[in-house]
């Protein structure tokens, strides 16, 4: 323990982390930059903050305040001690609806304030796209804005009073007037009034530099406003009084389509006369699926408000009439508006990949110009990109003249970094020529502070330095930011990564086979750090359960980055820090779809475990649960199922077995089926097969050995829909299934050798990738006859379907059979929709409860399932999130509490709130097991419910719903 760490531990009541994990998690924010801190402190209160400042001042160590870590310019990183306010100083202290104010701590997440203000018809005006994870302290530090700034301004417009500690421990309460200002600040202003009145560009989104002009007497000497946007360089915020605004009771969204973003930019300023709430712009390159959008190559999102829905709609329609557009629509449905806003909010992530899949980076994320000049600026900006051979797609706050863009800089080679610098210098000159600001929202940080003289001139920058010296004479707070900045092409986070691709097991086709490129996908947007999962979203259940950064997708990606860098984490794949962070990853795959840049932590976890345990003994659960298909086949072949079930019912024996197998003692061991699904198939009374298309029903491990009733029900429904069902690998068919010569099943299907197909899921999830590859190669051999036909492969278990569709081709990227089989995989609902389009399911007319499987959400999609439920009269929505069992995860020792917490996030509340008599749906075996063990509720696969609706008594009746 260093003297610094010892002194901090003695002086501070909050957590002090000088360990590898704590430091690795804070080396980066959402920028291109990386700096390794000495340690991290999570203060409990202002006294802790004062103690940290005193200790660090005595040791000559810098201090960097940090909120949600979503800064895009690098100002939330540092080499000293990082203050993490999100853990303890994260409360809403007071809310006064009459005064329309709130008292907040710096670590309070914006959405928590919005939720508290909403019942009073109020809200905090600024709302960045990171509203679900950014903090009020970070917003004040960067003077954040968001999409509603045309109506409600920037964070500085909403800051009433700020409680601040200076680097030398002085407590200040900043507001309007000089009463709370540091000594000498008034004299600095009075001595340079002419410069302050003329040296700052006049535009709504000027965030760059220090807002010293707010201290002018005609502006009320607003010291609080001047402090906003200082990026943690002047003082440390400990509390704030912020202004709230009245939220319109009703809103409408006019979406205006234009030919390109230039035309949209030209039109944006003209719409401000209609007093909209937003004027947001984005181009088609950032919209993966433009469903719900009008025709066009770019769009403006213009939100209007009103006292009633009719008034809001009328204002939106007036905007449409006033606009010269290719096409337009007005959306009044709240769900429809949320869906469109998610497209806009995800742009910060989707913009990091060009349409061809190549990488793009921040650095010039938010320049701003006067709104009337936006169209001309964008034309010049496009020309500058072309001159440097660069690409980028602008989007952002067109109504305020603020542009976000990610550019395909090459930040991995010396030549690329040189071009990055040259482009940055020329763009800074271009912004200045248009009367703009280098930053219109995210601050300067290391990305732009070096270029401030090009906009402000040397005199104003010298004034910034004098102001910094008044507030922080020891240069303790966030040095190298804003004043005397580090060069913009140093400390790049990519510089430490290996230059050659790492030897890995998965193919990473979307990243050119490069594991480093896969890890680089995480740019720090931090959508994984949300306290609640909106709608059907899944990511990131372990973070919501623990609240710990290391158990978020971003945190794990940061640790993998540091593992590859080898500077902080020095033992590579053997790293215990990375192992421990990944241990609580449920492999739910939610990040694969919910992360705007498609981080796939489940795959990264499997890859890491594969290398971590290479040549070493694994945890017992990897042998017991990871090789579950092998043990279940053995039990079935040896007829040991009755004995195993009997022994498992004896508590002492079950406890011993669970301890030996690494299974959580709190878990009940599921009973094995007395008869497997394939045995039932072989002995069942033969019936004439349908005359429709042949489908191959996959006997996954869970259906085969644990829930054969699902397989039986699926056969019943598929045949009722007129489809001919066969099973791999022997593909034994019912008599008469060969058809009439014109529809004869290929003879090769009947001659396939015996064996068992398997998707390899349990091997993949535990990182036993050599085993998984062997299992999948065997499976591909057994499935060869199927691949010679046009038959789809119907997989009932969502996790197995996801493994076949995603993991199989990524683990065997050079085997064309893998891609061929993956392309054949369909869910039960997809099969009925595509191959029996004329079939009408039984009319069930019941409400539903339950959960969409996380793998289905992330990999397969549930649109066909929704349509099937609607056709059957099954009404209502299934919950999102992850059930928390997640295959082997919830059964492994040490995971039970997190597993239950994940279930409490969405699943268990949905079951408790379900209407009486609701049909409980859960297509995944893990989801059904979690429901039964935690809620005593029997969930069913949709195939079972439909089969019961057809009659013939396959299991319990529909009347057995929730009561």
């Amino acid at each position: 323990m260093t003297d610094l760490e010892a002194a901090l531990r003695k002086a501070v009541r909050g957590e002090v982390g000088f360990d590898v994990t704590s430091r690795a998690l804070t080396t980066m924010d959402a920028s291109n930059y990386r700096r390794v801190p000495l340690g991290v402190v999570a203060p409990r209160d202002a006294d802790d903050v004062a103690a940290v400042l005193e200790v660090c001042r005595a040791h000559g160590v810098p201090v960097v305040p940090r909120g949600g870590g979503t800064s895009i310019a690098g100002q939330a990183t540092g080499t000293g001690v990082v203050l993490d306010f999100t853990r303890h100083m994260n409360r809403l202290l007071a809310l006064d609806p009459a005064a329309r104010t709130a008292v907040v701590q710096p670590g309070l997440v914006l959405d928590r304030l919005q939720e508290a203000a909403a019942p009073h018809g109020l809200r905090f005006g600024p709302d960045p796209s990171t509203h679900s994870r950014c903090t009020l302290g970070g917003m004040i530090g960067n003077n954040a804005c968001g999409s509603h700034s045309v109506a409600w301004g920037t964070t500085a417009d909403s800051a009433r009073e700020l409680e601040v500690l200076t680097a030398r421990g002085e407590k200040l309460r900043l507001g309007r007037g000089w009463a709370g200002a540091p000594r000498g600040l008034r004299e600095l202003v009075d001595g340079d009034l002419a410069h302050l009145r003329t040296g700052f560009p006049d535009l709504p989104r000027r965030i760059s530099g220090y807002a010293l002009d707010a201290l002018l007497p005609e502006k009320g000497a607003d010291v609080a406003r001047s402090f906003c946007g200082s990026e943690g360089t002047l003082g440390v915020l400990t509390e704030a009084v912020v202004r709230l605004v009245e939220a319109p009771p009703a809103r409408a969204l006019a979406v205006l389509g234009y030919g390109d973003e230039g035309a949209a930019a030209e039109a944006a300023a003209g719409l401000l006369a209609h007093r909209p709430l937003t004027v947001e712009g984005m181009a088609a390159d950032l919209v993966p699926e433009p469903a719900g959008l009008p025709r066009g190559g770019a769009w403006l999102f213009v939100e209007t408000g009103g006292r009633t829905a009719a008034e809001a709609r009328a204002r939106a329609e007036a905007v449409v009439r006033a606009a010269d557009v290719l096409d337009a629509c007005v959306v009044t449905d709240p769900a429809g508006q949320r869906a469109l806003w998610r497209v806009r909010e995800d742009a910060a992530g989707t913009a990091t990949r060009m349409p061809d899949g190549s990488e793009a980076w921040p650095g010039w994320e938010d320049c701003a110009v006067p709104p009337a000049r936006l169209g001309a600026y964008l034309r010049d900006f496009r020309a500058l990109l072309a001159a440097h051979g660069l690409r980028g797609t602008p989007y952002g706050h067109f109504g305020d003249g603020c542009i976000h863009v990610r550019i395909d800089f090459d930040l991995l080679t010396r030549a690329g970094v040189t071009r990055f610098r040259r482009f940055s210098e020329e763009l800074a000159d271009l912004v200045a020529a248009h009367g703009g600001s280098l930053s219109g929202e995210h601050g300067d940080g290391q990305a732009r502070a070096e270029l401030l003289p090009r906009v402000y001139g040397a005199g104003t920058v010298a004034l910034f330095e004098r102001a910094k010296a008044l507030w922080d004479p020891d240069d303790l707070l966030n040095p190298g930011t804003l004043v005397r900045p580090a060069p913009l092409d140093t400390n790049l986070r990519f510089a430490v990564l290996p230059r050659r691709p790492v030897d890995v097991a998965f193919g990473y086709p979307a990243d050119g086979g490069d594991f480093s490129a896969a890890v680089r996908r995480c740019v720090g947007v931090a959508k994984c750090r949300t306290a609640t999962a909106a709608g059907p979203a899944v990511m990131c259940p372990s973070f919501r359960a623990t609240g710990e950064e290391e158990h978020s997708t971003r945190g794990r990606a940061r640790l993998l980055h540091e593992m590859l860098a080898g500077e902080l984490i020095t033992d590579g794949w053997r790293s215990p820090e990375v192992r421990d962070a990944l241990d609580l990853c449920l492999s739910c795959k939610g990040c694969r779809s919910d992360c705007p840049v498609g981080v796939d932590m489940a795959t990264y976890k499997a890859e890491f475990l594969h290398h971590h345990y290479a040549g070493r003994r694994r945890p017992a659960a990897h042998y017991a649960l990871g090789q579950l298909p092998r043990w279940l086949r053995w039990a079935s072949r040896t007829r040991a199922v009755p004995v195993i079930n009997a022994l498992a019912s004896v508590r002492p024996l079950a406890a011993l077995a669970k301890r030996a197998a690494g299974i959580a003692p709190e878990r009940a061991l599921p009973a094995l089926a007395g008869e497997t699904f394939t045995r039932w198939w072989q002995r069942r009374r033969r019936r004439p097969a349908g005359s429709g298309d042949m489908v191959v029903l996959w006997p996954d491990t869970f259906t085969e050995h644990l829930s054969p009733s699902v397989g039986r029900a699926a056969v019943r429904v598929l045949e009722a829909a007129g489809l001919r069902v066969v099973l791999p690998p022997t593909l034994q068919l019912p008599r008469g299934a060969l058809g009439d010569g014109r529809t004869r099943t290929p003879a090769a299907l009947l001659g396939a050798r015996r064996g068992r197909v398997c998707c390899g899921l349990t091997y993949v999830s535990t990182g036993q990738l050599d085993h998984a590859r062997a299992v999948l190669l065997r499976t591909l051999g057994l499935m060869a006859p199927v691949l010679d036909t046009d038959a789809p492969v119907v997989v009932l278990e969502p996790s197995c379907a996801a493994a076949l569709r995603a993991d199989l081709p990524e683990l065997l990227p050079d085997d064309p059979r893998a891609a061929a089989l993956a392309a054949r995989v369909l869910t039960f609902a997809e099969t009925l929709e595509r191959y029996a389009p004329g079939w009408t399911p039984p009319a069930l007319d019941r409400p539903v409860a339950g959960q969409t499987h996380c793998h289905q959400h992330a990999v397969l999609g549930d649109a066909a399932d929704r349509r099937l439920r609607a056709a059957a009269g099954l009404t209502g929505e299934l919950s999102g999130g992850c059930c928390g069992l997640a295959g082997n995860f919830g059964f492994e020792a040490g995971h039970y509490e997190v597993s239950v917490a994940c279930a409490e996030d969405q699943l268990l509340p949905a079951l408790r709130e379900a209407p009486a008599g609701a049909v409980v749906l859960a297509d995944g075996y893990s989801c059904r097991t979690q429901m039964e063990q935690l809620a005593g509720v029997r969930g069913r696969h949709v195939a079972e419910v439909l089969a019961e609706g057809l009659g013939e008594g396959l299991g319990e009746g529909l009347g057995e719903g929730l009561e």
Side-chain angles (χ1 to χ4, degrees):
M1 186 183 299
T2 65
D3 291 343
L4 173 64
E5 180 183 0
L8 287 170
R9 290 189 181 279
K10 183 177 180 180
V12 173
R13 293 185 297 112
E15 289 83 0
V16 176
F18 276 59
D19 57 287
V20 168
T21 297
S22 297
R23 297 166 66 204
L25 292 172
T26 50
T27 56
M28 293 174 279
D29 48 19
S31 71
N32 297 328
Y33 299 98
R34 169 186 177 271
R35 289 184 287 185
V36 180
L38 295 174
V40 182
V41 176
R44 289 191 175 274
D45 51 28
D47 290 341
D48 266 3
V49 176
V52 170
L53 291 170
E54 182 178 357
V55 169
C56 288
R57 186 171 64 253
H59 286 77
V61 172
V63 175
V64 180
R66 181 180 171 104
T70 56
S71 302
I72 294 186
Q75 61 268 63
T77 67
T79 57
V81 171
V82 172
L83 289 175
D84 176 9
F85 289 102
T86 63
R87 190 170 302 181
H88 301 301
M89 296 181 69
N90 57 10
R91 291 178 296 147
L92 171 63
L93 300 177
L95 193 149
D96 187 340
R100 294 184 181 176
T101 60
V103 183
V104 302
Q105 291 184 316
L108 178 69
V109 170
L110 175 58
D111 270 4
R112 306 289 81 76
L113 174 59
Q114 304 290 38
E115 291 164 1
H120 306 285
L122 301 173
R123 56 165 291 145
F124 189 69
D127 57 346
S129 61
T130 54
H131 53 83
S132 62
R133 59 270 192 198
C134 70
T135 66
L136 270 295
M139 293 178 68
I140 290 169
N142 288 352
N143 194 8
C145 309
S147 60
H148 289 87
S149 59
V150 294
W152 298 316
T154 72
T155 299
D157 294 307
S158 298
R160 286 283 184 85
E161 294 182 350
L162 307 178
E163 287 196 2
V164 169
L165 281 169
T166 69
R168 292 189 171 179
E170 185 179 6
K171 294 182 180 181
L172 304 177
R173 189 168 186 89
L174 312 179
R176 293 177 70 88
W178 297 108
R183 288 181 296 275
L185 187 60
R186 182 172 186 173
E187 289 74 15
L188 181 147
V189 172
D190 290 343
D192 216 333
L193 290 173
H195 197 156
L196 291 176
R197 287 179 173 130
T198 60
F200 292 83
D202 183 19
L203 69 162
R205 285 293 195 99
R206 176 177 55 79
I207 307 299
S208 278
Y210 292 133
L212 297 181
D213 58 326
L215 300 174
L216 288 166
E218 60 267 31
K219 295 185 178 181
D222 196 337
V223 182
R225 184 184 187 92
S226 177
F227 185 87
C228 291
S230 58
E231 303 181 28
T233 63
L234 301 182
V236 180
L237 179 77
T238 59
E239 188 175 298
V241 180
V242 296
R243 178 175 66 93
L244 304 176
V245 297
E246 186 177 354
R251 300 188 193 192
L253 181 62
V255 185
L256 313 177
Y258 296 87
D260 56 36
E261 91 271 349
E266 293 280 7
L271 302 176
L272 298 177
H274 294 271
R275 302 180 64 82
L277 300 177
T278 70
V279 183
E280 298 288 292
M282 65 188 306
D285 286 350
L286 299 176
V287 184
E289 296 181 8
L293 293 173
R295 289 182 300 111
W299 299 273
L300 290 180
F301 288 30
V302 184
E303 187 180 67
T304 58
R307 292 184 297 275
T308 65
E311 183 180 358
R313 183 181 186 92
R315 290 179 175 173
E317 290 172 343
V319 169
V320 172
R321 288 192 300 270
D324 182 12
V325 295
L326 293 177
D327 193 10
C329 67
V330 173
V331 182
T332 55
D333 170 48
Q337 292 182 53
R338 285 195 299 271
L340 290 171
W341 278 122
R342 278 196 294 271
V343 172
R344 164 61 186 86
E345 291 171 358
D346 283 351
T350 54
T352 64
R353 283 294 186 275
M354 305 301 293
D356 63 2
S358 57
E359 297 169 307
W361 304 107
W364 287 97
E365 183 68 12
D366 63 333
C367 295
V369 297
R373 298 187 63 93
L374 182 59
Y377 167 74
L378 275 180
R379 285 193 296 272
D380 290 345
F381 172 76
R382 284 289 191 187
L384 185 62
L385 282 176
H388 285 270
L390 296 170
R391 296 174 298 164
T393 302
Y395 68 99
H397 315 294
F398 282 23
D400 269 336
C402 180
I403 293 299
H404 298 318
V405 63
R406 305 268 170 143
I407 301 173
D408 65 338
F409 296 119
D410 168 16
L411 299 177
L412 302 175
T413 67
R414 180 171 296 179
V417 173
T418 299
R419 180 168 60 170
F420 167 62
R421 165 171 280 282
R422 190 165 58 248
F423 173 86
S424 298
E425 292 169 345
E426 292 181 24
L427 182 55
D429 292 338
L430 178 63
V431 171
H434 282 274
S437 171
L438 297 181
S439 173
E441 180 161 25
H442 296 137
D444 298 307
Q446 189 176 347
R448 292 176 286 269
E450 181 190 354
L451 303 170
L452 287 175
R454 293 174 180 260
V455 172
Y456 286 110
T460 301
V461 170
L463 197 60
F464 292 164
E465 293 177 356
R466 290 169 55 199
K468 165 73 168 173
L470 283 172
W471 285 88
D472 180 20
D474 305 309
D475 202 19
L476 188 76
L477 297 175
N478 212 356
T481 299
L482 284 181
V483 170
R484 295 178 294 279
L488 62 86
D489 52 357
T490 60
N491 300 322
L492 293 171
R493 67 186 178 109
F494 318 99
V496 295
L497 293 178
R499 287 293 173 262
R500 295 181 179 178
V502 179
D503 184 24
V504 287
F506 282 98
Y508 302 100
D511 298 292
D514 186 353
F515 183 68
S516 295
V519 171
R520 286 200 304 268
R521 280 182 174 270
C522 180
V523 294
V525 172
K527 192 177 178 183
C528 51
R529 277 181 54 92
T530 55
T532 57
V538 172
M539 179 183 74
C540 176
S542 52
F543 173 77
R544 289 195 297 278
T546 66
E548 298 289 343
E549 170 80 9
E550 69 179 291
H551 300 304
S552 69
T553 304
R554 182 180 72 172
R556 293 173 179 126
R558 290 290 178 263
L559 287 164
L560 287 169
H561 184 109
E562 295 303 326
M563 180 194 81
L564 292 173
E567 177 185 333
L568 189 55
I569 296 176
T570 57
D571 40 7
W573 295 110
R574 299 297 197 194
S575 166
E577 294 87 5
V578 179
R579 179 202 62 208
D580 292 347
L582 289 170
D583 181 57
L584 292 188
C585 171
L586 286 83
S587 296
C588 67
K589 291 186 178 288
C591 47
R592 186 181 177 111
S593 61
D594 295 345
C595 173
V597 292
V599 169
D600 185 358
M601 195 53 63
T603 296
Y604 306 169
K605 176 182 179 179
E607 184 76 62
F608 175 83
L609 293 176
H610 168 71
H611 295 280
H612 185 77
Y613 289 110
R616 302 204 298 182
R617 184 174 181 177
R618 289 172 166 271
H622 285 201
Y623 301 106
L625 300 173
Q627 300 183 26
L628 186 65
R630 175 183 296 177
W631 304 125
L632 293 179
R633 286 197 302 272
W634 171 83
S636 174
R637 286 197 305 268
T638 59
R639 309 285 180 171
V641 168
V643 176
I644 292 173
N645 285 340
L647 294 176
S649 66
V650 179
R651 287 189 177 182
L653 294 177
L656 288 173
K658 286 187 282 188
R659 178 179 298 178
I663 295 175
E666 301 91 343
R667 288 290 177 188
L669 296 175
L672 307 184
E675 180 182 53
T676 65
F677 169 59
T678 53
R679 282 203 187 122
W680 167 84
W681 169 266
Q682 292 161 6
R683 72 161 182 80
R684 75 178 186 135
R685 177 201 260 166
R686 305 301 184 188
R687 304 176 184 176
S691 59
D693 292 311
M694 182 180 73
V695 297
V696 180
L697 185 59
W698 184 273
D700 64 84
T701 295
F702 305 99
T703 299
E704 172 76 354
H705 298 283
L706 298 166
S707 292
S709 62
V710 172
R712 297 195 298 266
V715 171
R716 170 75 178 100
V717 176
L718 292 171
E719 289 185 343
L723 300 175
R724 294 179 296 142
V725 181
V726 299
L727 265 63
T730 57
L731 300 155
Q732 301 171 51
L733 305 178
R735 292 190 184 94
L738 291 178
D740 62 3
R742 291 176 300 171
T743 59
R744 185 174 300 277
T745 301
L749 292 182
L750 296 176
R753 65 184 179 85
R754 289 182 177 272
R756 282 289 179 264
V757 295
C758 179
C759 69
L761 169 68
T762 59
Y763 299 98
V764 171
S765 63
T766 52
Q768 301 180 72
L769 300 185
D770 291 335
H771 283 297
R773 191 180 288 108
V775 165
L776 290 171
L777 286 171
R778 183 193 71 202
T779 293
L780 289 175
L782 291 170
M783 292 295 288
V786 175
L787 298 181
D788 289 335
T789 74
D790 294 328
V793 177
V794 188
V795 185
L796 302 173
E797 173 63 40
S799 57
C800 295
L804 289 170
R805 195 178 283 183
D807 296 331
L808 167 62
E810 292 174 14
L811 198 54
L812 299 173
D814 299 323
D815 193 327
R817 300 174 301 170
L821 178 54
R824 298 287 185 88
V825 170
L826 296 179
T827 66
F828 178 72
E830 288 172 337
T831 303
L832 289 172
E833 186 170 80
R834 297 187 195 182
Y835 288 87
W839 181 68
T840 302
L844 304 176
D845 300 326
R846 299 285 296 276
V848 297
Q851 186 166 52
T852 298
H853 195 285
C854 53
H855 286 191
Q856 176 142 14
H857 166 82
V859 178
L860 308 169
D862 68 341
D865 296 76
R866 289 172 177 271
R867 290 189 288 269
L868 177 61
R869 293 199 299 268
L874 295 171
T875 58
E877 294 291 329
L878 302 185
S879 74
C882 177
C883 73
L885 195 62
N888 58 291
F889 176 86
F891 271 97
E892 290 184 6
H895 292 171
Y896 183 76
E897 290 185 2
V898 171
S899 176
V900 173
C902 291
E904 282 290 357
D905 182 46
Q906 291 198 57
L907 174 60
L908 297 182
L911 294 179
R912 288 192 286 265
E913 296 165 9
V919 177
V920 181
L921 292 178
D923 284 0
Y925 175 77
S926 292
C927 303
R928 296 193 296 272
T929 301
Q930 188 80 315
M931 289 177 180
E932 184 175 355
Q933 294 201 356
L934 298 186
V937 173
R938 179 175 178 263
R940 286 175 291 171
H941 195 287
V942 68
E944 295 179 285
V945 175
L946 293 177
E948 292 168 5
L950 292 171
E952 304 190 15
L954 288 173
E956 288 85 347
L958 281 171
E960 195 178 287
L962 282 176
E963 299 299 337

